[in-house]
Amino acid sequence: MSHIRFDYSNATSTLSEKELFALEEASNDARRQLLTKTGLGNDYVGWVDYPETQEASYRAQIQKAADKIRSHSEILVVIGIGGSYLGAKAALEVLKPYFHKTTPEIIFVGNTLSSEYTQSVVDYCRGKRFSINVISKSGKTMEPAIAFRIFRALLEEQFGVEAKDRIFATTDPTSGVLRHQAEVAGWETFSVPADIGGRYSVLTAVGLLPIAVAGFDIEAMVRGAKEAFHELSHLPYKDNPAMLYAACRNLMLSKQKTNEFLVAYEPNMLYFLEWLKQLYGESEGKNHKGLFPVGIINTTDLHSLGQYVQDGQRIIFETVFHFNASRRVTTVPQASDNGDELDSLVGKSLHYINEQAMRGTALAHIEGEVPNFMLHLDPLNEERFGYLVYFFMFTTGISAHILGVNPFDQPGVENYKKKMLELLRS
Ligand code: PA5
């Protein structure tokens, strides 16, 4: 039984079952290409069976390093950008309770060139016992490389020769400047398998080391992903939530619903949506094709973009995350008077009210020609997080293959880098 139930019943005025099942063959074909490593970008499908093939000793090495960092650091500075930070950030946000500070504290840098932010983190770390996990698959990305230079200087200033034991580098097994630097300096390293690209790397040391340092169970996470791998690679199309969802996404695009709004009603999903935006955007937005992914937190955004969704251009469909329960329960209390006229809600849980907001919004949006897909889930723990990230990577692989684009490259990202370097050199 899948951890995810995909429901397209709120989209049947835009797509028909006949259209959906017309994509069965293409979807099966896409899955076969992923599983047999014969499709576009087949050099980068190492993630597909990785939850199964990942060695237990690899996780043991990660856990050992995490324990060491936990024992000697107040802060772990995680340096990385794009796929080299969003997965871990997403995991930390959804797994830890609100307002909970992990021990050690995890701070992400190198995902921006903001001078104000970077210097603020330097000031915050100064005088504290901190370690660095520098993450770059290519080992040559500008933003993390600059941040690493800055934080390494601070570490060396504070710890002298001991700094070496506080640097952990996650990078390609053989190539790249970072791999070379690590070997020369003798830092502990973690390899990202050569056939797993950045945005598909959350279940490698890229995500697992910071997640383990934060105290979460990486064994359970990989176990969840393994379960997803087995289910999604075997379930027939009609029962396969990832394949049906991937086909629906392509149908929406063919009907000029070019913007996919990824909607959660839980604020701690913000970075999960950031991770997903990157996964979809970089994997599918090429050759002038692809859906434009937008992350939305409701009901917050109903009071900003909600107007556009209801009444703006009819180019949107929504994929809504629905959690079957809430990890914390709060109810509307009795008040000394009914001045706010809310007495009818007394005793109702906020989760129930949030659900009615979600249902009401779906009805209003469907009426406004905005089709809705629903993903029904249980509240996330490590295992379900592992399942969920695998679900979306699998969906992306299938969806991009149906679309006819290589899900694993990102040629467009190079253009800004080239122009920036020209400016920096002039
Ligand atoms: O998905 C990708 O490959 C990218 O988003 C990368 O993760 C990002 O550009 C960072 O690259 P690197 O890890 O090589 O520094």
Side-chain angles (χ1 to χ4, degrees), residues 118-292:
T118 308
Q119 188 54 39
S120 300
V121 181
V122 168
D123 293 344
Y124 185 74
C125 290
R126 193 182 300 282
K128 298 200 176 86
R129 288 176 298 123
F130 76 98
S131 296
I132 295 175
N133 179 201
V134 54
I135 309 173
S136 178
K137 170 76 194 296
S138 63
K140 58 175 192 190
T141 307
M142 167 83 89
E143 292 90 335
I146 292 176
F148 184 41
R149 204 174 243 248
I150 293 169
F151 283 89
R152 189 181 150 199
L154 180 65
L155 198 69
E156 286 171 353
E157 181 193 312
Q158 286 188 192
F159 294 93
V161 284
E162 208 208 297
K164 175 177 163 297
D165 297 323
R166 289 178 172 272
I167 298 177
F168 300 81
T170 306
T171 189
D172 185 87
T174 53
S175 69
V177 180
L178 181 57
R179 166 62 59 185
H180 181 68
Q181 273 182 301
E183 276 166 12
V184 172
W187 306 321
E188 179 162 5
T189 60
F190 295 89
S191 293
V192 189
D195 58 358
I196 299 182
R199 58 193 175 276
Y200 294 83
S201 69
V202 54
L203 298 166
T204 72
V206 168
L208 296 184
L209 180 57
I211 290 169
V213 172
F216 295 110
D217 182 351
I218 58 172
E219 289 294 331
M221 197 168 278
V222 175
R223 193 164 61 240
K226 194 164 151 180
E227 200 186 330
F229 163 58
H230 283 290
E231 283 184 7
L232 302 176
S233 56
H234 287 104
L235 279 175
Y237 180 70
K238 69 177 179 41
D239 301 321
N240 193 311
M243 293 173 86
L244 288 172
Y245 172 37
C248 284
R249 298 179 73 244
N250 275 277
L251 279 174
M252 286 296 127
L253 185 58
S254 71
K255 290 168 190 287
Q256 278 65 58
K257 300 288 187 194
T258 55
N259 290 35
E260 179 174 16
F261 277 34
L262 304 155
V263 186
Y265 282 72
E266 190 62 54
N268 69 11
M269 287 290 284
L270 184 68
Y271 273 93
F272 192 91
L273 299 182
E274 288 297 303
W275 173 81
L276 186 51
K277 249 165 64 179
Q278 190 223 353
L279 181 67
Y280 280 165
E282 263 190 3
S283 299
E284 296 189 316
K286 51 196 72 160
N287 306 343
H288 297 181
K289 291 184 183 180
L291 289 164
F292 185 75

Side-chain angles (χ1 to χ4, degrees), residues 54-107:
Q54 186 184 73
E55 304 269 351
S57 58
Y58 180 77
R59 289 192 297 281
Q61 189 207 347
I62 292 172
Q63 192 60 57
K64 196 167 164 213
D67 293 343
K68 179 173 165 189
I69 295 167
R70 286 166 69 79
S71 73
H72 73 12
S73 306
E74 293 164 81
I75 299 172
L76 175 67
V77 176
V78 178
I79 302 177
I81 195 165
S84 287
Y85 105 97
L86 282 166
K89 175 78 179 163
L92 266 45
E93 291 296 309
V94 298
L95 295 176
K96 73 179 179 59
Y98 287 104
F99 301 113
H100 173 87
K101 274 204 174 142
T102 59
T103 318
E105 193 175 348
I106 314 270
I107 303 182

